[in-house]
Amino acid sequence: MSQIIERIVLFKVKDDVDSVKIDAMLNGLNSLATIDQVLYLSAAPIHRLRSSSAFTHVFHSRYRSKEDLSAYAAHPDHLRVVEENMPIWEDRMTVDWIPHDVPGILKPHAGSVAKVTLLKVKENVTDEARKEIVEVIKEKSQGTDEISVGENFSPARAKGFSIGSVVHFKDIGEVEAHEELVKEKVGGYVEDTIVVEFVVPPS
């Protein structure tokens, strides 16, 4: 496959929502994997979050094209699940990108750990510097064919975050051994960072 579309959605569930409603939300989101246009989809609680925001859950999905993403977004099942869960969401954001290289495994294994990094780049940063940031992320993720990184093409709901990446690891221990983004290389370009880790649920 020469191209895929990545979508990351972060949710903040309201503090007073009980676990039954949260489980129903996750079941509803994960049920959307059966929609024809979806290549891969998983929704899960966040295991570890490094951000000034207080997101609680993450949704990761993949599509073959922007057209498939649009068809998914307009699908009645997707619209129904969103409408059912809107009352329990305090906040959410979405980042979409086309990876520079298609990941080796399109459907990550249940029990593996995903690490999502979202970057808000400063306004005066050039296109050349953006490309450098992407290359640094790829460089720091060498040793795995599971790196996906690219520039966001859906700015309306991204809260200013313009570069996204996701890397999958076998387990939490492997994540902890993974080198962090080298701040001295790209720190001058970046205004804010969100790092999310979550365990891929059973399909």
Side-chain angles (χ1 to χ4, degrees), residues 30-99:
N30 281 310
S31 73
L32 300 177
T34 59
I35 294 175
D36 288 343
Q37 289 82 5
V38 174
L39 190 60
Y40 164 77
L41 183 155
S42 66
I46 292 173
H47 171 74
R48 182 160 52 188
L49 172 71
R50 275 164 280 177
S51 168
S52 57
S53 303
F55 294 110
T56 57
H57 294 79
V58 58
F59 173 94
H60 176 211
S61 53
R62 288 173 168 166
Y63 310 85
R64 293 175 181 83
S65 64
K66 287 185 179 181
E67 291 75 20
D68 279 1
L69 172 58
S70 296
Y72 158 80
H75 194 282
D77 289 348
H78 171 251
L79 296 174
R80 174 184 53 79
V81 169
V82 170
E83 184 178 358
E84 287 173 353
N85 290 288
M86 281 290 283
I88 71 170
W89 293 334
E90 183 176 307
D91 193 13
R92 64 175 169 153
M93 64 175 284
T94 303
V95 177
D96 300 320
W97 72 88
I98 300 172

Side-chain angles (χ1 to χ4, degrees), residues 134-187:
V134 168
E135 289 304 315
V136 168
I137 295 172
K138 289 166 66 177
E139 176 190 328
K140 288 292 110 187
S141 301
Q142 284 182 356
T144 173
D145 60 359
E146 290 305 285
I147 177 65
S148 167
V149 57
E151 294 192 49
N152 178 48
F153 61 78
S154 302
R157 293 180 294 156
K159 298 183 184 291
F161 285 79
S162 59
I163 295 176
S165 72
V166 59
V167 189
H168 284 87
F169 300 91
K170 292 177 184 176
D171 53 39
I172 292 292
E174 201 174 74
V175 177
E176 291 173 349
H178 179 249
E179 281 192 72
E180 290 300 317
L181 191 64
V182 180
K183 291 181 180 178
E184 57 266 28
K185 282 193 175 182
V186 302

Side-chain angles (χ1 to χ4, degrees), residues 186-200:
V186 302
Y189 302 142
V190 176
E191 181 180 320
D192 197 5
T193 306
I194 296 175
V195 181
V196 168
E197 293 166 13
F198 69 96
V199 178
V200 176

Side-chain angles (χ1 to χ4, degrees), residues 100-160:
H100 286 228
D101 301 300
V102 175
I105 298 173
L106 293 178
K107 298 182 180 181
H109 304 297
S112 63
V113 180
K115 179 179 181 178
V116 176
T117 303
L118 305 176
L119 301 179
K120 180 186 285 188
V121 179
K122 293 178 179 177
E123 288 185 10
N124 60 347
V125 169
T126 63
D127 289 344
E128 186 176 333
R130 288 174 182 271
K131 289 177 183 176
E132 182 182 344
I133 293 169
V134 168
E135 289 304 315
V136 168
I137 295 172
K138 289 166 66 177
E139 176 190 328
K140 288 292 110 187
S141 301
Q142 284 182 356
T144 173
D145 60 359
E146 290 305 285
I147 177 65
S148 167
V149 57
E151 294 192 49
N152 178 48
F153 61 78
S154 302
R157 293 180 294 156
K159 298 183 184 291

